[in-house]
Amino acid sequence: VELVFHARARREGSFGARLLDGLRRELDAGSIPVRMVWAGETAPDPDWLPAVWEVPDLAAAAARERRFSILLNDRPPPGIAASYIDSVSTDDTSGGVVAGELLHAVAPARRLAVLAGPRDDPRCLRRVEGFQSLVRKADIVWAGGWFAEDARRVAPRLVRRGYAGVFCCNDRLAEALLAAYAAAGVARPAVVGFDDAPVAEDLHLTTVAIPWKELMLGAVDIVRRRLRGETGPAASRVYAPRPVHRTTLPLRTA
């Protein structure tokens, strides 16, 4: 199997880095040969089964050649290509609803907000959409990226507005928000993140946890089937995220 990852996975502590490390361990444990390719740096080898993260064009190109591939934490577009693209992903819309349920239980809906990531990332949009399906009038503040430095420029805006609860679309955004409250000397509201990255435990952050183990084992199972030569219909495996309670969210009704 050929792991084709966007260069963002090189960043320590990032989602991509965690996915890459975990997947490599599972493939190694299964004695499955692995070739690593960074998108745009090395040409993929058509003799290897590609498993791709954040490089959807590569999966689409393989499908046009009637070759199978695996999308990691993403879903294929509808159409003929989808019959050649297996995928494993988490249900971001459901995760957004989970965050809405957690915050709505402890704070009035009119005083809730979302600190969102990139406007053009479908996963971010689905998380926001899920939250808004439950908390329709929540304010949305866009950080423009997934990292703490992206959120730092907008976090003070959330502090000034005095929200009772904030859903951060990933844990790095929550990290910047909590730091902004601490810097301002203002008591933080209820905060819920998304991912359950290692930083979440360090911050005692209540978060919506991506089922990491299931994602990786699901991908390995698909790899095994395709390497055995199975040519049945492509499958999309979608795993539901779950809440992990820590101290940034009180376990009581406001």
Side-chain angles (χ1 to χ4, degrees):
V1 62
E2 183 175 68
L3 301 179
V4 187
F5 274 58
H6 191 283
R8 287 203 307 275
R10 284 180 161 140
R11 178 165 179 160
E12 186 178 353
S14 68
F15 177 97
R18 184 174 184 182
L19 179 63
L20 177 58
D21 289 346
L23 189 53
R24 288 175 103 165
R25 283 197 301 271
E26 295 296 340
L27 291 166
D28 287 344
S31 300
I32 296 171
V34 176
R35 178 176 186 257
M36 180 66 215
V37 173
W38 293 106
E41 294 185 9
T42 306
D45 188 330
D47 292 330
W48 290 64
L49 173 69
V52 305
W53 179 73
E54 294 287 275
V55 199
D57 290 348
L58 189 147
R64 287 194 294 270
E65 298 173 2
R66 302 299 189 261
R67 293 191 293 114
F68 286 102
S69 64
I70 305 166
L71 279 180
L72 303 170
N73 201 44
D74 203 354
R75 303 181 200 179
I80 294 174
S83 62
Y84 290 91
I85 303 175
D86 294 298
S87 67
V88 292
S89 62
T90 191
D91 190 337
D92 292 293
T93 303
S94 178
V97 175
V98 169
E101 290 171 336
L102 293 173
L103 286 170
H104 194 253
V106 300
R110 67 183 181 278
R111 296 187 59 207
L112 297 179
V114 178
L115 176 54
R119 288 178 181 268
D120 59 351
D121 191 313
R123 286 155 302 186
C124 182
L125 296 176
R126 287 193 288 263
R127 293 172 194 181
V128 172
E129 179 184 89
F131 190 86
Q132 286 187 307
S133 71
L134 191 67
V135 188
R136 297 186 183 279
K137 295 186 178 180
D139 290 343
I140 313 298
V141 176
W142 297 92
W146 284 119
F147 296 108
E149 58 263 31
D150 299 311
R152 287 189 190 114
R153 61 185 179 82
V154 297
R157 191 187 314 168
L158 289 150
V159 175
R160 290 193 298 269
R161 291 179 182 176
Y163 295 107
V166 181
F167 167 44
C168 299
C169 283
N170 83 349
D171 297 335
R172 289 296 181 183
L173 302 179
E175 177 185 22
L177 181 67
L178 294 173
Y181 277 100
V186 177
R188 71 188 183 199
V191 176
V192 172
F194 199 108
D195 282 352
D196 200 26
V199 70
E201 188 170 357
D202 296 339
L203 296 170
H204 308 290
L205 175 67
T206 293
T207 191
V208 180
I210 287 175
W212 293 97
K213 188 73 170 179
E214 290 77 8
L215 277 176
M216 295 167 192
L217 291 179
V220 171
D221 184 57
I222 292 171
V223 165
R224 289 185 185 279
R225 290 197 301 110
R226 295 305 180 198
L227 292 182
R228 285 197 301 264
E230 294 187 23
T231 58
S236 289
R237 301 187 182 189
V238 182
Y239 298 94
R242 62 188 184 278
V244 175
H245 285 277
R246 298 189 181 97
T247 58
T248 59
L249 184 79
L251 288 174
R252 60 181 175 79
T253 302

